[in-house]
Structure formats: C-alpha cells, structure tokens
Amino acid sequence: MLEGIEFLNKELFWLLLLLPIAIIWYVFTRKKQTAELKISSLKGFKTSSSWLPQLKPILFLLRLLALGLLITALARPRTVDVSTKTKTTKGIDIVMAIDVSASMLAKDLLPNRLEALKKVAAQFIQGRPNDRIGLVEYAGESYTKTPITSDKTIVLRSLRDIKYNTIIEGGTAIGMGLATSVNRLKDSKAKSKVIILLTDGVNNSGFIDPKIASELAVEYGIKTYTIGLGTNGMALSPIAINPGGTFQYGRVQVEIDEDLLKNIAEVTGGKYFRATDNKKLEEIYNEINKLEKTEVEEFKFYNYEEKYRPLVIIAGLLLMLELLLRYTIFRSFV
C-alpha cells in the first residue's frame, strides 16, 4: 500500500519492463523508419515548419505514457477505508479488597504501603476498560467502598479517597474483607468473577473465619488472588499517635500470615503473591492483568474505492491526442 492506495494485481507491474525495451527499440529503429531526401539546397522550400520533425518523438512519448497508465490501471489501484468495531464477549467482574489498617502506613514501600498500592491499583483499573470493578475496604471490620461498576471514573475517584481513618475498627479482619467481597460478587452474571485481596498482616479481628469466607467464594465460583504486602524483616511502621494526631514511627517486625493467604488462593483457584517493594507490587498486578484476560471480538469493515478508471480515461485521451497529432500536424512526417 502506498499513501493510502493498494494495488490488487501488483504482479502486473512487471509489464512496466516493456517501457525501457520500447524506448531502446525506438532509438535503434527511428532512423530506419524516417525517409530521407538529399537535396543540394533548401532555398526553394518554406522553413517556417522546419522545427516540426524535431518534435516527432512526442508521438512516441504520448503512446509510452498511455501504455504506462494502462499497465497501472490493470494493477487495480484502490483506496481502502478500514473501520473497526469491538464487542466484549466475556466480561470479568472484579472486586479489590484493600487492607486500610494503620500498618498500611508503613514506609517500607514509598511513600507508604497504602499510597504505593493506590498508584498501582489505579493503573490496573485503567487497563481494564471492558470489565466491571468494585472496591472493598477492611481493617477490623469491612464495608463496600464502591459496588461493581463499569464506570472507571467512579472507581478511580473512590480509590483516591481511600485512606487510613479511625472510624473503622482497628485490626485486620481478612475473613470479613473476603466475605464482603464475595457478597458483592455472588449475584454477578459475569462468566468470570475475581477477588484481589491485599493485606499486610494477620487475621486478628472480625467474626467470620477466612476459611468459611473461602468456602463461600468457591460456592459462588469466585477466584481469589491474594497479595501479602510488606518487606521481609523490619519495617518503619506507626507505633503510636501523638496528641496532634500524627503518628510516631518505629521499627516493627513484618508479620504476614502467608499460609492463610496461600490457602485462600489455592482453595478458590487463584494465586498468592508477595510484594516486598514498589516494583514487585507493580509486577504482581501486571501478572494478574495477564492471567485474567477479557475476551474481545474485533470486527473490521473494509470499504474499497477503485481508482483505475481515471487512469484508463487519461490513457485513452493520450492515445487520441497521439493519433490526432499523427494525422494532422505531423502527417507529412509520419
């Protein structure tokens, strides 16, 4: 394709090799085809038209151009206007369950665990244009931040608003966070239902056992990916609240119930990940994004417009002009 034009029969351009052959043939046979008359003097002839014989090659040039245009026309030039239409054939409903306990303010991820998560989660949401996504917050208890919706603007706004607060009971109720997420998805008609549950601690609150919540997820066909967030060893974490409401930080041992998170993922058909820094957290969400592909059908519509007709018309006009000149102006020199 060249500048929006494609040629259906490109192999016919080999015929253009006839043009240099015709030129060579013309050069070698021109003198033989032209009659010569030798006289001693031209004084008895009018000289006003003496330049016409020099222009006779124009006839050959016109025929050559016409032949080139006809060969190009045979190659079937045409423009192609391609339009596409996509249709989601298999949507995915996703709930992201986010731990918002005080330990999520630890600074082993930059600027802290919660803000690092929000940045990566926002990229994940933006990369799922065909899916419905909801948000669940949990600490010592859990609640729905955003029901599953296809409006990514709402989800991203809600994600930005997530922060640590003292309204939610302290602690880490993994079972509660998972159960609330299951409740958001259990009535979903989507062919694939997924929970991404993230925590940086151990289950130490709530009245729902994580194993029971896992069984509920299995019953409703909900796959769960679990993420343990936090570096290995010690992390600079909140240890007390100052009178002004700010936190005092100290070195605290990172404790994540990896066995529980692995069990939840295994039972529900998901996968467990451990994020020890910002880069690893981003890689995990990228991997989940690849594992949960939404099936999209793409329909392409082609509108062809043939362009050979003008070439044939121009070639015909050139041939008519060549014949007209041959039997009028150049008639005496043919």
Side-chain angles (χ1 to χ4, degrees):
M1 187 179 295
L2 179 62
E3 296 182 356
I5 297 179
E6 69 173 16
F7 295 90
L8 189 61
N9 305 318
K10 292 187 287 290
E11 64 278 3
L12 292 179
F13 278 122
W14 287 103
L15 294 175
L16 290 175
L17 293 175
L18 295 173
L19 301 185
I21 295 174
I23 293 173
I24 295 171
W25 175 85
Y26 178 79
V27 169
F28 281 98
T29 61
R30 181 183 175 189
K31 290 185 178 181
K32 295 180 181 180
Q33 293 178 348
T34 304
E36 292 184 355
L37 177 63
K38 295 182 179 181
I39 57 177
S40 59
S41 175
L42 294 174
K43 291 182 179 180
F45 296 91
K46 294 181 180 180
T47 58
S48 59
S49 300
S50 59
W51 51 274
L52 283 177
Q54 304 300 320
L55 297 179
K56 183 182 175 184
I58 289 177
L59 301 177
F60 175 73
L61 180 61
L62 291 173
R63 186 171 292 187
L64 210 60
L65 287 174
L67 180 60
L69 289 172
L70 288 174
I71 292 173
T72 305
L74 288 172
R76 289 284 298 279
R78 61 184 184 180
T79 56
V80 185
D81 180 24
V82 182
S83 59
T84 60
K85 182 180 179 182
T86 59
K87 177 184 176 183
T88 303
T89 59
K90 186 179 180 182
I92 299 176
D93 281 355
I94 302 171
V95 169
M96 303 174 71
I98 300 172
D99 187 345
V100 292
S101 58
S103 59
M104 285 292 288
L105 300 179
K107 298 181 181 295
D108 49 349
L109 276 74
L110 300 175
N112 59 50
R113 294 174 183 174
L114 185 57
E115 291 302 318
L117 166 66
K118 287 163 63 174
K119 179 181 177 182
V120 173
Q123 295 172 350
F124 177 83
I125 292 168
Q126 291 169 337
R128 313 289 302 193
N130 302 304
D131 301 322
R132 299 196 306 167
I133 297 177
L135 300 176
V136 166
E137 290 186 16
Y138 72 95
E141 55 185 340
S142 66
Y143 74 96
T144 301
K145 179 73 172 177
T146 305
I148 52 174
T149 175
S150 57
D151 191 332
K152 302 305 184 295
T153 302
I154 293 176
V155 181
L156 290 169
R157 187 186 302 122
S158 297
L159 180 67
R160 286 194 297 269
D161 292 341
I162 291 178
K163 57 185 177 182
Y164 169 76
N165 61 70
T166 56
I167 298 176
I168 302 178
E169 183 182 336
T172 304
I174 295 175
M176 294 284 289
L178 181 57
T180 302
S181 301
V182 171
N183 191 49
R184 291 289 81 187
L185 288 170
K186 64 185 179 64
D187 296 323
S188 168
K189 302 300 181 183
K191 293 186 177 180
S192 183
K193 294 175 283 189
V194 172
I195 294 172
I196 302 174
L197 185 142
L198 179 140
T199 185
D200 66 345
V202 297
N203 186 68
N204 54 23
S205 291
F207 55 84
I208 298 180
D209 189 298
K211 293 183 179 180
I212 294 176
S214 300
E215 293 172 1
L216 288 172
V218 173
E219 181 179 346
Y220 290 107
I222 302 171
K223 185 188 300 183
T224 304
Y225 293 99
T226 55
I227 302 174
L229 183 62
T231 187
N232 294 314
M234 308 291 287
L236 191 63
S237 305
I239 56 175
I241 300 179
N242 297 316
T246 59
F247 285 98
Q248 291 183 17
Y249 282 83
R251 307 294 294 184
V252 176
Q253 180 68 37
V254 176
E255 293 184 15
I256 299 175
D257 193 343
E258 292 193 275
D259 290 336
L260 173 61
L261 296 179
K262 289 177 181 177
N263 180 260
I264 292 172
E266 183 179 353
V267 167
T268 61
K271 190 174 181 180
Y272 168 70
F273 302 92
R274 179 67 185 274
T276 54
D277 53 42
N278 294 61
K279 183 178 179 182
K280 184 64 177 177
L281 180 62
E282 185 173 353
E283 289 174 353
I284 289 169
Y285 272 89
N286 287 337
E287 183 172 347
I288 295 174
N289 191 39
K290 293 176 183 177
L291 289 171
E292 295 297 330
K293 284 293 184 182
T294 300
E295 293 182 10
V296 177
E297 283 185 353
E298 183 178 75
F299 301 92
K300 285 190 176 183
F301 303 92
Y302 297 87
N303 182 30
Y304 297 99
E305 184 178 351
E306 299 289 348
K307 295 295 184 181
Y308 68 88
R309 293 181 183 87
L311 299 177
V312 174
I313 293 172
I314 295 172
L317 292 174
L318 290 175
L319 288 175
M320 290 176 62
L321 178 60
E322 188 257 346
L323 289 173
L324 180 64
L325 293 176
R326 182 179 296 274
Y327 291 106
T328 55
I329 296 176
F330 295 102
R331 183 175 183 179
S332 301
F333 305 102
V334 177

